[in-house]
Amino acid sequence: MDFDLLDILTALFLTVGCFLGISGGVGLYRLPDFFSRQHATGVTDSACSFLILFALILQSGFTLVSVKLCFIFFFLVITSTTATHALAKSALHKGITPILGREDKR
Amino acid sequence: MNWVGHYNYWVAIFLMMSGFYVVITRGNLIKKLIGLNVFSTSVFLLYISMGKINGGTAPIYSEHTLPGQLFSNPVPHVLILTAIVVGVATTAVGLALTVRINERYGTIEEDEIRAKDDSL
Amino acid sequence: MEAAVDIVLLSLLCVTVIVIVYIRKLFCAIMLLGIFSLISASLFITMDAVDVAFTEAAVGTGISSILLLSALSLTHTRERRPAHQPYVALMVVAVTGAVLVYGTMDLPAFGDPDSAIHRHMAVRFIVDSPQEVGPPNVVTSVLASYRGYDTLGETTVIFTAGIALVALLGFNRRKEFKVRLSGAQITSVPEVPLSSAPKVPNADYLVLRIVGKMFIPLIMLFALYVQFHGDYGPGGGFQAGVIFASAIMLYAMIFNVETAMRVVTPTALRLLAVLGLLLYGGVGVLCMLLGGNFLDYNVLAHAPLHGQHLGIFLIELGVGITVFAIMVTMFYALGNRSGRSV
Amino acid sequence: MYAAAALAILVVMALTLVRALVGPTAFDRLLAVNMFGTKTVLLIAVVGFMTDRPDFLDIAIVYALVNFLSTLAVLRFFERQLHEGSAPPEEE
């Protein structure tokens, strides 16, 4: 099939977005303590959702669908960051302290 | 008999049996309610997976659907739509009963309640 | 390709359930139940059940985890180690499971078009509904018009559950709660008078309050969109009522339940619950007065299709109001039980 | 193309699920649930495009809006535990 620019761009954005998502997942799985995991998900979450949703917007052009996708992105960015903020505040409030530096170096 | 065709039903039965298992063995009332929730979601899964047709889309006419479009079966969707909200309502009544039992007996472990009840 | 997504989601579902069964911390079980409803909602989407996925989404994250958590905070959060060995139960469950799996042997494979249930009712609904009832969303037309009487029954079930909850728990939590049982006073839950309850430090939830103030009107507006968009896309009375209720719950999460109860008072909720059901039944009786049968919307307007359109609009509104009022009543009753702010 | 994106998101969901099942402290599980919610939003959008019925994004909007409600509920639940000093959920 003929590869026009739009399809290439969508494929590119999708792969980068999914790569970021997977790196976030791996970060969530492997990092040692709560706050570093939260850092991993916080960073990749918004970036990955932006790239994937932007790739879908490219595909749907100027229709109601891309308006909905912009809404989703707007809500997603604000709610997930608020949730991460509230989570971190409550964790600190509860006394979970982040690991500062490596044990032998501290 | 390809297992791919029946995988949905087997997963639904597995969920049903695990919900059933939780209700039988666990004494904690809230854990039983969670088991009932799992059980009812498995029934929803069974109904919906029966309604799906390969190549069919959701039963909504829109400019995306061509005239001869094959639609999935809308009838199980209607049944399950109301069943979910009714399920939440009954879970809430169950939780209210659990709260009252806890205030009355001070515990929500089944055998402790039975012990306290006979002693009165 | 959808089959692959389907199978992976189903396997994730099984893994989640196994851990839900064996986890003893109830709080974590409720968190996993949240994930369980997330996976089942995306499963419903891959199986073309869009309205059902909508309801499961709105109910799963919004209502059921909050109600479970409110009840959990009033009871112990850890389950005791089961006393007796579960081998008998395991055997019983395995046998029933095996019989059921044997039963599914002659079920038609997943998704083949000529299985029995697709031939009779479904074809009639899909083919006739645009001419007879009108809205593009066949599920809404079946829910509201073909099965209007059943939906009236289901709304009454939700209404009764709300009454049961208020009867059990009630809203009054200020007075000392004493239980008189055969003379001996069993337990009296010491009510902490609200004034002395440690003021939840709302001040340091500044970010939450700002975002909440921004999002509560958005959620309510979206609920109204869902309510009136039910004919053309996924949505309808049930989903809209639940989403509206989660907007009020968000308000209660950020400020405490008392302020939320001053905003949406329990008496207003009782009135709304009754009003919704009355609207639904009233439309049915109105159809009878105009010469049609009960809940036969053709007579409501000059042309049958317009009558159907008006009828479905009104009863979806009635369902939405009742579901909203009952969900918020449940949240108030459970969340406010021990006098401490949720 | 969408199928690959959908499967990638499913891999991320599996990893998040592992953290939710294993997660030592309750906050890890809560973080995993929150991330699982955002990934479900993306999965719904991609599957909608995969089956070329993209007009079902309302469900993704609902999730995007309501997702942080359960996180707030849990935080309030912890706060009540802290204030009452009743059995706080034991940290393992």
Side-chain angles (χ1 to χ4, degrees):
Chain A
M1 58 179 184
D2 58 330
F3 275 100
D4 63 349
L5 182 60
L6 217 54
D7 285 349
I8 298 172
L9 268 181
T10 319
L12 181 70
F13 278 122
L14 273 180
T15 39
V16 174
C18 295
F19 170 72
L20 276 177
I22 291 177
S23 66
V26 166
L28 184 73
Y29 175 64
R30 282 179 56 85
L31 286 173
D33 86 322
F34 169 70
F35 287 98
S36 48
R37 282 185 206 119
Q38 200 172 21
H39 169 66
T41 55
V43 167
T44 58
D45 236 4
S46 32
C48 154
S49 48
F50 170 72
L51 286 171
I52 290 183
L53 291 177
F54 188 69
L56 297 181
I57 289 175
L58 282 183
Q59 275 301 327
S60 59
F62 292 106
T63 60
L64 176 64
V65 173
S66 30
V67 171
K68 281 186 186 171
L69 283 166
C70 296
F71 272 144
I72 292 176
F73 174 66
F74 168 67
F75 294 150
L76 208 57
V77 158
I78 291 191
T79 44
S80 68
T81 38
T82 328
T84 321
H85 155 76
L87 205 57
K89 172 185 279 292
S90 178
L92 264 182
H93 200 51
K94 198 94 160 57
I96 297 179
T97 55
I99 302 175
L100 306 172
R102 290 223 307 260
E103 275 71 16
D104 45 26
K105 288 267 182 326
R106 231 184 318 203
Chain B
M1 204 283 295
N2 54 4
W3 69 275
V4 173
H6 288 258
Y7 186 62
N8 272 36
Y9 305 134
W10 292 344
V11 167
I13 289 171
F14 173 74
L15 297 185
M16 210 181 282
M17 284 308 115
S18 42
F20 186 37
Y21 176 75
V22 166
V23 173
I24 295 177
T25 51
R26 295 298 184 255
N28 191 312
L29 294 184
I30 289 190
K31 192 63 186 282
K32 280 184 195 286
L33 281 173
I34 291 176
L36 281 177
N37 247 344
V38 167
F39 196 99
S40 61
T41 310
S42 76
V43 172
F44 303 156
L45 202 66
L46 189 67
Y47 266 67
I48 299 291
S49 52
M50 277 195 276
K52 162 85 170 139
I53 298 180
N54 281 342
T57 58
I60 296 176
Y61 290 95
S62 73
E63 72 280 1
H64 286 276
T65 57
L66 332 111
Q69 178 78 48
L70 177 67
F71 288 114
S72 292
N73 190 343
V75 178
H77 302 178
V78 175
L79 301 175
I80 300 305
L81 194 115
T82 45
I84 290 178
V85 187
V86 167
V88 170
T90 32
T91 314
V93 174
L95 287 173
L97 286 171
T98 313
V99 166
R100 285 300 295 265
I101 288 172
N102 181 43
E103 279 167 6
R104 170 67 178 72
Y105 290 101
T107 167
I108 47 173
E109 293 293 334
E110 208 180 19
D111 29 33
E112 282 168 20
I113 295 170
R114 207 172 296 124
K116 283 198 174 144
D117 202 44
D118 303 345
S119 64
L120 289 188
Chain C
M1 202 51 246
E2 280 165 35
V5 175
D6 217 22
I7 288 171
V8 171
L9 281 174
L10 286 169
S11 327
L12 290 183
L13 211 57
C14 295
V15 170
T16 319
V17 162
I18 292 172
V19 178
I20 285 181
V21 168
Y22 283 109
I23 202 158
R24 283 186 44 243
K25 283 188 293 301
L26 292 177
F27 165 74
C28 302
I30 293 176
M31 285 296 109
L32 292 178
L33 202 67
I35 286 194
F36 184 80
S37 95
L38 279 166
I39 302 177
S40 55
S42 22
L43 255 171
F44 290 149
I45 288 209
T46 47
M47 285 195 269
D48 293 342
V50 184
D51 277 89
V52 179
F54 208 116
T55 321
E56 178 72 30
V59 161
T61 45
I63 309 283
S64 62
S65 43
I66 288 180
L67 290 181
L68 278 163
L69 279 173
S70 314
L72 194 63
S73 68
L74 300 169
T75 57
H76 312 295
T77 65
R78 195 170 183 84
E79 190 193 352
R80 218 164 37 76
R81 185 166 296 284
H84 30 70
Q85 286 308 332
Y87 297 124
V88 177
L90 262 180
M91 206 260 295
V92 164
V93 161
V95 165
T96 353
V99 167
L100 284 174
V101 167
Y102 177 70
T104 62
M105 286 306 164
D106 43 29
L107 268 179
F110 168 68
D112 74 345
D114 47 24
S115 76
I117 63 172
H118 300 317
R119 272 195 234 101
H120 311 296
M121 296 292 290
V123 174
R124 182 196 184 292
F125 285 143
I126 289 177
V127 170
D128 296 350
S129 101
Q131 291 78 25
E132 272 180 358
V133 179
N137 186 352
V138 180
V139 174
T140 309
S141 67
V142 172
L143 178 81
S145 172
Y146 290 114
R147 267 184 89 248
Y149 196 66
D150 297 291
T151 314
L152 176 64
E154 268 128 25
T155 319
T156 324
V157 163
I158 294 168
F159 181 68
T160 334
I163 295 176
L165 209 86
V166 172
L168 273 170
L169 294 180
F171 298 118
N172 39 29
R173 74 264 180 240
R174 220 173 276 289
K175 63 176 174 34
E176 184 71 18
F177 179 78
K178 282 198 172 40
V179 173
R180 291 273 173 280
L181 199 67
S182 65
Q185 175 189 323
I186 305 304
T187 56
S188 77
V189 176
E191 286 311 309
V192 174
L194 207 57
S195 55
S196 82
K199 195 73 198 69
V200 174
N202 279 354
D204 57 6
Y205 276 95
L206 191 59
V207 171
L208 288 186
R209 290 204 351 244
I210 304 292
V211 169
K213 281 202 189 92
M214 195 164 61
F215 264 72
I216 289 176
L218 273 178
I219 296 180
M220 285 186 179
L221 198 62
F222 184 69
L224 290 180
Y225 161 77
V226 163
Q227 168 80 40
F228 301 119
H229 186 260
D231 293 357
Y232 305 98
F238 289 100
Q239 295 92 339
V242 171
I243 295 173
F244 219 98
S246 23
I248 306 291
M249 288 190 191
L250 181 60
Y251 184 85
M253 286 294 139
I254 291 170
F255 313 100
N256 46 39
V257 183
E258 278 71 32
T259 40
M261 277 177 95
R262 272 196 295 275
V263 168
V264 183
T265 59
T267 48
L269 287 177
R270 280 194 205 99
L271 206 66
L272 276 176
V274 171
L275 185 76
L277 214 52
L278 207 62
L279 178 64
Y280 199 126
V283 165
V285 171
L286 182 66
C287 295
M288 281 162 63
L289 294 181
L290 291 173
N293 311 326
F294 185 70
L295 286 179
D296 167 13
Y297 311 126
N298 292 346
V299 297
L300 277 180
H302 50 280
L305 274 188
H306 292 276
Q308 292 286 346
H309 191 66
L310 178 64
I312 287 179
F313 172 80
L314 284 176
I315 62 153
E316 288 281 349
L317 195 62
V319 167
I321 293 172
T322 306
V323 167
F324 158 67
I326 296 300
M327 290 296 161
V328 181
T329 318
M330 287 186 191
F331 173 68
Y332 282 168
L334 270 170
N336 212 0
R337 179 60 194 164
S338 65
R340 291 167 194 81
S341 56
V342 160
Chain D
M1 181 169 60
Y2 296 120
L7 286 182
I9 292 178
L10 282 174
V11 164
V12 177
M13 276 171 139
L15 281 168
T16 323
L17 193 64
V18 165
R19 175 50 59 194
L21 304 182
V22 157
T25 62
F27 286 98
D28 293 315
R29 293 180 205 270
L30 191 54
L31 181 63
V33 168
N34 186 26
M35 184 167 169
F36 203 92
T38 41
K39 289 301 170 256
T40 319
V41 169
L42 295 179
L43 183 73
I44 291 171
V46 168
V47 164
F49 272 77
M50 185 163 76
T51 54
D52 55 49
R53 286 298 296 265
D55 43 10
F56 298 147
L57 289 175
D58 298 352
I59 303 159
I61 294 180
V62 165
Y63 262 134
L65 278 173
V66 177
N67 189 15
F68 79 125
L69 195 59
S70 56
T71 317
L72 284 187
V74 170
L75 300 184
R76 280 292 173 168
F77 170 73
F78 277 140
E79 209 167 276
R80 277 185 68 172
Q81 295 290 4
L82 213 59
H83 274 97
E84 285 154 20
S86 65
E90 297 80 12
E91 295 311 319
E92 301 73 47

